[in-house]
Amino acid sequence: MSNLRTTTEDEPKTAGNGLRRALGVWAAAAFVVTNMVGTGIFTVPAFVRTATGNGLATLGVWALGGLIAMSGALCYAELATRMPDAGGEYQYLSRIYGKLWGFVSGWISFLVGFSAAIAASALGAANYAAEVFHWNVQTTLLSLPWHIPLPGDASLHGAVNITQGSLLATLLIASLAVFHSTGIRHSGRLQTIIASLVVGAIVLLVFSGFATGRGNWQGVTQSSSSSGLWWVALIQVSFAYSGWNAASYLAGEVKDPRHTLPRALIGGTLAVTLLYLGLNLLFLYAVGKQAAEILFGQTGATIVSVIITLTILGSVSAMTAAGPRVYYAMAGDGLGPSIFRRLGKGGGAPTASILAQSIVAILLVLTGEFGNLLTYIGSALSLMAALTVAGVWIVSRRQKTNGPNIFRTPGYPVTPALFLLVEVTVYIQGLKANFWPTFAALLTIFAGIIIFYVSRSFGWLTDNEPAQQPTLP
């Protein structure tokens, strides 16, 4: 177990490792909002309503999901002020539990947590944009056959089909990668603009929907038959809330991180919770799956498609910027290729890490071999988040005193206990409801452990001290 060391000293304008501290609280919060709000809020509500059988119960499940996310954000806020360096969970797990668990978290993030999520979201954005502009995303533009001979007469063969949808998704990923390579200042401004547009559009949608008077308030209180899949519904809601920890990945580029990070994590999570509750109330008021058409007529579907496209665009952009900070930190600690440590000369962004992540995401877009991965990897990421939150107990136990600038988790130790209790319960229920994809999350973690020890035995990983090792107060 590693020796945890934190600091209470004021942070300089540079993080001491080449990254520039340029993000203020609004830009950091924008990363949280855009990373959280995605397609889930527009696709999950109908499932939750069916699972609960009651409008008020549906709102309760969404409120509980927000409470869980807020509990996690409060715990991450404390860890972020103690270890205000780029990398998020990677930094916390490395310093609290040792390099092994930091590596496991990092490699899951690189392979699927960010790369595959970017690929899936980019394809989703292309699909919704196609509804607005009346494109056929399935139209094949180019087919590239491949063939791998095997011993005997056997062989592996197939084809990579480049469709209009995959081409648009590829262009989106490449464009955002180039943009975010220009520096964190530009990234922060873009996310602030997108977050403002998303929040403004959703607020306008909610108030305009109620103002039409075409819904029925009985939809909020009336009951219907329930599927009884409450825990599955909570899992779906938890995924819709995922992304509340986005600002922690960019901690190395946040100005005055001990004050900015808690405000960004908590404020962004609270804002999204209120948006989600407002949208769900609107959907219940509309009393139907096609809420937009019911409230706004035929143009409603187009309006919602534009909003969804914008929200997904913001999510892809946030992940494109956040993920590479993990690989950048890993490279500095000898747990990743040293080239991932390379920064752009102009804006100081980890350009090599951004490029590597984008290449993986584009390959997944073109091959389409990532849908099943996303099903089970969500559980692996939840387990990593639970392990990180548990670290709050370890930090508090090790440190007898705390500096004046350390954010303390409100409600400790109940707050982390609530988060862990729900996360563990949801995972167990997930094993019962859908065993193999959920169990595969554990297998993924075990595979990371094996890769860590094998790589270290061959000398592929070094035992460097973490690039940023603050001192204990």
Side-chain angles (χ1 to χ4, degrees):
M1 188 172 292
S2 66
N3 293 323
L4 176 67
R5 293 185 288 172
T6 61
T7 181
T8 61
E9 298 172 1
D10 293 334
E11 297 296 327
K13 292 183 179 180
T14 59
N17 51 16
L19 297 176
R20 300 178 181 177
R21 296 199 180 277
L23 292 179
V25 64
W26 287 106
F31 272 98
V32 175
V33 172
T34 52
N35 208 32
M36 289 181 71
V37 180
T39 57
I41 184 55
F42 297 98
T43 58
V44 173
F47 177 84
V48 178
R49 177 65 176 81
T50 302
T52 60
N54 182 273
L56 293 177
T58 296
L59 292 175
V61 171
W62 282 96
L64 178 58
L67 179 62
I68 297 169
M70 182 59 71
S71 298
L74 291 172
C75 294
Y76 269 61
E78 176 170 344
L79 294 174
T81 58
R82 294 181 183 277
M83 295 165 272
D85 303 318
E89 288 105 341
Y90 166 74
Q91 291 287 2
Y92 312 148
L93 294 176
S94 295
R95 284 162 168 71
I96 296 173
Y97 301 107
K99 283 189 174 183
L100 167 62
W101 292 105
F103 173 82
V104 170
S105 174
W107 95 280
I108 289 176
S109 294
F110 179 69
L111 291 179
V112 181
F114 283 104
S115 299
I118 289 172
S121 296
L123 283 174
N127 289 332
Y128 280 104
E131 294 183 10
V132 177
F133 298 102
H134 306 291
W135 296 330
N136 183 0
V137 295
Q138 300 301 326
T139 300
T140 300
L141 301 177
L142 181 65
S143 182
L144 302 174
W146 56 270
H147 179 271
I148 301 177
L150 297 175
D153 296 329
S155 65
L156 296 175
H157 58 85
V160 175
N161 295 317
I162 300 177
T163 64
Q164 287 188 3
S166 62
L167 177 61
L168 182 59
T170 297
L171 292 175
L172 173 60
I173 295 171
S175 299
L176 288 173
V178 171
F179 180 86
H180 286 295
S181 295
T182 61
I184 192 61
R185 291 184 184 275
H186 295 153
S187 298
R189 290 168 184 166
L190 176 63
Q191 294 310 123
T192 301
I193 293 173
I194 295 177
S196 300
L197 291 174
V198 169
V199 172
I202 292 178
V203 171
L204 181 61
L205 178 66
V206 170
F207 280 100
S208 299
F210 289 133
T212 63
R214 297 176 182 173
N216 190 334
W217 287 107
Q218 291 184 355
V220 180
T221 58
Q222 68 183 10
S223 299
S224 60
S225 59
S226 168
S227 66
L229 300 175
W230 284 71
W231 286 108
V232 178
L234 186 57
I235 292 175
Q236 297 276 2
V237 169
S238 297
F239 287 160
Y241 275 107
S242 62
W244 47 263
N245 56 349
S248 65
Y249 296 108
L250 301 154
E253 293 155 288
V254 171
K255 294 184 291 187
D256 190 15
R258 304 202 187 314
H259 295 94
T260 300
L261 285 172
R263 294 170 183 171
L265 289 166
I266 298 169
T269 302
L270 179 60
V272 172
T273 299
L274 295 176
L275 288 177
Y276 280 10
L277 290 175
L279 276 172
N280 273 278
L281 187 62
L282 178 65
F283 296 152
L284 294 171
Y285 171 73
V287 195
K289 294 183 178 179
Q290 303 300 325
E293 293 185 11
I294 292 174
L295 298 175
F296 304 107
Q298 293 296 322
T299 60
T302 301
I303 294 173
V304 172
S305 293
V306 171
I307 295 176
I308 294 176
T309 302
L310 182 61
T311 60
I312 300 176
L313 175 64
S315 180
V316 174
S317 180
M319 290 186 289
T320 300
R325 272 63 185 180
V326 178
Y327 329 136
Y328 172 85
M330 293 179 68
D333 296 345
L335 299 183
S338 58
I339 193 173
F340 283 1
R341 194 75 177 170
R342 182 173 299 175
L343 298 176
K345 294 182 179 179
T351 52
S353 293
I354 294 175
L355 176 63
Q357 175 182 264
S358 299
I359 290 175
V360 174
I362 289 173
L363 289 175
L364 289 172
V365 163
L366 296 179
T367 60
E369 299 297 329
F370 61 88
N372 292 330
L373 287 175
L374 290 179
T375 301
Y376 76 82
I377 205 62
S379 297
L381 296 176
S382 295
L383 290 174
M384 289 292 100
L387 187 62
T388 304
V389 168
V392 174
W393 281 325
I394 298 176
V395 170
S396 298
R397 188 170 65 247
R398 287 180 185 174
Q399 298 182 4
K400 304 301 182 181
T401 60
N402 297 283
N405 294 322
I406 296 297
F407 178 87
R408 296 289 292 166
T409 303
Y412 176 88
V414 176
T415 302
L418 172 65
F419 184 87
L420 291 173
L421 175 63
V422 175
E423 287 292 317
V424 172
T425 303
V426 167
Y427 183 80
I428 293 174
Q429 293 297 326
L431 286 173
K432 295 179 180 179
N434 201 3
F435 177 79
W436 284 112
T438 308
F439 180 68
L442 283 178
L443 296 181
T444 304
I445 293 174
F446 291 147
I449 295 174
I450 294 174
I451 291 174
F452 175 82
Y453 284 113
V454 170
S455 298
R456 195 166 67 172
S457 66
F458 279 95
W460 299 333
L461 301 180
T462 64
D463 291 324
N464 297 342
E465 285 297 311
Q468 280 284 91
Q469 278 281 28
T471 57
L472 183 68

